Amino acid sequence: MQLTYHQMKAKTSRLKLPYCWASLLSIVVWWIFFKFPFPLHKTNASGLAEFQQTKEKNTERILKTLKELKDNLKNSSNPTTQLIRIGLLYFHLEEADSAAEAFKKSLKHDANLAIPHAGLGRIQLELKNNPRKALPHIRSAVAIDSANVEWQTLL
């Protein structure tokens, strides 16, 4: 059985029809998204985004932990470790001066620790954007602990 020209045209146009609908649908969805943007994060009743609430809760928890570590620092059997923890928490809060002070105090107790050197280097590199001052600290950290790949990649 041979198909006429119109029958052949109808068959080929049916094949293209789903693609046309999919394209049209994607254009409509794109238009709706930009015309009526949906909030990317869930919000609470005050309109504060959920991720901001979580960040604030984490900050509160970190500040509470910092207070406890500082209070117990004088009675600690290992103040160097406490100072390193304090420095890391301040670094997480992006408080460069407080973190640097804690790391320097820990190095006064033991200059052969890699973490305080790496912390001082990362403060200079990431928080103060000063790679020249970061380099000696990172080199010291790698010299002390050459197995740490993260510090090696900072060089």
Side-chain angles (χ1 to χ4, degrees):
M1 177 176 165
Q2 195 150 19
L3 298 175
T4 65
Y5 171 77
H6 293 291
Q7 290 173 333
M8 186 69 115
K9 183 93 173 161
K11 268 191 168 184
T12 57
S13 65
R14 277 189 228 133
L15 291 175
K16 293 179 184 176
L17 191 61
Y19 298 113
C20 293
W21 282 110
S23 299
L24 183 62
L25 181 63
S26 64
I27 290 170
V28 169
V29 168
W30 177 81
W31 181 80
I32 289 172
F33 179 76
F34 284 103
K35 187 75 173 170
F36 310 104
F38 303 106
L40 296 176
H41 304 283
K42 294 179 183 177
T43 57
N44 65 2
S46 66
L48 191 63
E50 199 172 87
F51 77 94
Q52 289 173 328
Q53 291 175 342
T54 305
K55 185 176 180 182
E56 288 175 5
K57 287 179 184 176
N58 286 343
T59 302
E60 289 173 15
R61 231 178 40 228
I62 290 171
L63 290 172
K64 181 181 174 188
T65 305
L66 274 169
K67 185 181 180 320
E68 291 173 5
L69 286 171
K70 285 181 179 181
D71 290 344
N72 296 328
L73 187 59
K74 292 180 183 175
N75 302 330
S76 175
S77 61
N78 192 352
T80 309
T81 306
Q82 296 271 113
L83 287 165
I84 292 171
R85 288 178 181 151
I86 291 169
L88 290 171
L89 290 172
Y90 275 127
F91 180 81
H92 184 73
L93 293 174
E94 297 181 1
E95 293 186 22
D97 296 332
S98 300
E101 181 184 339
F103 286 135
K104 286 176 184 175
K105 283 181 182 178
S106 69
L107 286 173
K108 285 181 184 176
H109 289 279
D110 188 356
N112 292 323
L113 293 173
I115 294 174
H117 283 293
L120 288 168
R122 288 187 65 198
I123 288 168
Q124 291 297 328
L125 187 65
E126 296 172 23
L127 300 181
K128 293 189 174 182
N129 199 20
N130 193 342
R132 275 204 176 140
K133 287 186 178 180
L135 196 56
H137 294 294
I138 295 170
R139 283 185 178 152
S140 297
V142 170
I144 294 168
D145 184 7
S146 60
N148 193 313
V149 178
E150 179 186 350
W151 300 336
Q152 290 178 2
T153 58
L154 291 174
L155 290 173

